[in-house]
Amino acid sequence: MVTAMLTGARSTLLSAETRQFCICHSVKALRQKRHRCLTGPIAIATVTTQALTGHLRGWIEEHGGYIHPDVTLSNSPSFGCRGVVTTEDIGEELVSQEPLLLVPEELSITTSLAKERLHPLFQAAGLPDLQDLDAVLPLALFLAHEHNKGQGSFWQPYLDLLPQQPGCAWLMPPAELADAVKAVQQLVGDEASDWDLRVLEAQQAVTIQARALAGTYGGLLNVSTDDVLWGMGQVLSRCFGQEPDLAMLPFTDLCNHSCHAMAPNSYVGTEDGKPFVFVSSIWDDQPRPLAVGDELFISYMANTPPLTAFLNLGFVPEELLAPPLR
């Protein structure tokens, strides 16, 4: 199935190990630092985004998480697309001692959660179960369903910040796709000579799957084929994990990729044993101080063929190019 081919651009399981510099402060101590106003050029330049980011920040902190007060989402970071940036300098001493993002795992949306929530609905309606489907599909269907609930969804603060058009190559408009394929062909070479056709094949296969899901479950869940395609695009371009369970990680997945950065990791709180996903500013295994406007990157751990990365992400990470970029 095409989802099996596509899955894997961010295929990394969150490690149970932690780094000492990330747990020098308790979660309680981090929470006490959060109450500061976002000022400075980044915040002022993106008022609408800041409102939504503030809603997401409040939701995460309400459930025991922490986002450094000088970290926010921007529509115009150095990477050229949306990303997580700093509004003030964050020095080496701080980044070497504590994470900048700390998100409770209970806020993540996983394949297993999607199946658990959808199973009784389908059982009551006499509809087929989702247990035998690829991990992408139940998660995409549940994501589309929750997104259409609006304020009725527990995850609304996160879902409101997901892009209207996911970054997958197979969702790009024709002109944008032509430009993207041309750019990637210059980097990848002859291997990408037929990628325009491969993208169209993937688009057709994914559309068939989305149409089938919407036809079977759309009436009950109030989702259309386009809604399911949106959900599939979000999962394939943003999820972490691997079969049989994938995860969408609020705020964490708003960070852009760099092979020099660290993948999101896991941490268990010292006060209550609560599991968190954390992100620290790490560059080539060393703490990376951030100046105002700098991006906070994560590694997508993109150990996948270049075509798969392009289909999922809309670009090919430099570490997948041969020979490597210097």
Side-chain angles (χ1 to χ4, degrees):
M1 300 177 71
V2 70
T3 50
M5 177 184 71
L6 294 171
T7 304
R10 294 193 186 189
S11 56
T12 173
L13 289 175
L14 297 176
S15 171
E17 299 177 355
T18 59
R19 292 173 179 258
Q20 186 62 40
F21 63 82
C22 288
I23 57 175
C24 292
H25 292 263
S26 69
V27 177
K28 182 178 180 181
L30 288 172
R31 291 175 193 148
Q32 291 172 345
K33 295 184 176 185
R34 71 192 183 197
H35 299 292
R36 290 176 54 187
C37 295
L38 286 175
T39 58
I42 300 298
I44 293 172
T46 56
V47 175
T48 302
T49 299
Q50 285 300 332
L52 292 173
T53 307
H55 192 196
L56 177 58
R57 180 190 299 269
W59 178 66
I60 289 172
E61 293 179 346
E62 177 186 346
H63 289 86
Y66 168 78
I67 299 173
H68 190 281
D70 295 329
V71 168
T72 190
L73 182 66
S74 171
N75 287 325
S76 55
S78 58
F79 193 74
C81 58
R82 284 199 330 173
V84 175
V85 302
T86 56
T87 58
E88 299 288 346
D89 295 348
I90 302 178
E92 184 172 354
E93 181 179 359
L94 189 145
V95 299
S96 66
Q97 292 179 350
E98 63 183 51
L100 300 183
L101 305 180
L102 194 65
V103 182
E105 287 190 9
E106 68 187 55
L107 300 184
S108 62
I109 310 175
T110 65
T111 301
S112 57
L113 175 70
K115 290 180 177 180
E116 178 185 327
R117 295 290 184 90
L118 294 175
H119 173 73
L121 299 178
F122 296 163
Q123 188 177 46
L127 294 175
D129 205 358
L130 299 173
Q131 296 302 320
D132 296 330
L133 295 180
D134 291 340
V136 170
L137 300 179
L139 183 52
L141 189 60
F142 183 70
L143 204 67
H145 173 54
E146 289 294 320
H147 183 251
N148 284 352
K149 285 184 179 180
Q151 293 184 354
S153 174
F154 171 72
W155 292 277
Q156 185 217 4
Y158 166 58
L159 299 175
D160 280 351
L161 271 168
L162 293 179
Q164 188 172 12
Q165 180 187 314
C168 306
W170 50 269
L171 279 174
M172 291 181 181
E176 182 182 347
L177 176 61
D179 290 342
V181 169
K182 183 177 180 180
V184 81
Q185 284 174 342
Q186 294 177 346
L187 296 173
V188 178
D190 292 342
E191 180 183 349
S193 60
D194 66 343
W195 281 15
D196 51 347
L197 298 178
R198 303 294 296 275
V199 171
L200 292 178
E201 291 172 358
Q203 183 183 65
Q204 292 169 0
V206 172
T207 301
I208 289 172
Q209 290 183 317
R211 189 176 293 126
L213 285 174
T216 303
Y217 305 105
L220 178 65
L221 299 181
N222 188 33
V223 296
S224 66
T225 297
D226 285 343
D227 293 330
V228 178
L229 283 171
W230 177 89
M232 292 175 71
Q234 301 295 350
V235 173
L236 288 168
S237 63
R238 313 184 77 81
C239 74
F240 293 86
Q242 60 189 25
E243 292 280 356
D245 203 18
L246 303 174
M248 304 288 287
L249 305 179
F251 209 106
T252 305
D253 66 8
L254 299 175
C255 296
N256 284 320
H257 166 76
S258 172
C259 61
H260 300 283
M262 181 176 117
N265 216 320
S266 292
Y267 164 63
V268 177
T270 55
E271 295 106 351
D272 52 12
K274 189 175 185 177
F276 295 85
V277 175
F278 71 81
V279 174
S280 296
S281 181
I282 302 297
W283 201 259
D284 293 333
D285 294 323
Q286 297 298 318
R288 177 190 177 223
L290 299 170
V292 59
D294 280 351
E295 276 203 72
L296 176 63
F297 291 100
I298 59 174
S299 171
Y300 296 172
M301 298 292 288
N303 185 19
T304 188
L307 174 60
T308 302
F310 183 62
L311 290 170
N312 282 356
L313 305 174
F315 69 94
V316 179
E318 66 175 272
E319 64 269 27
L320 300 183
L321 299 174
L325 292 180
R326 297 295 183 186

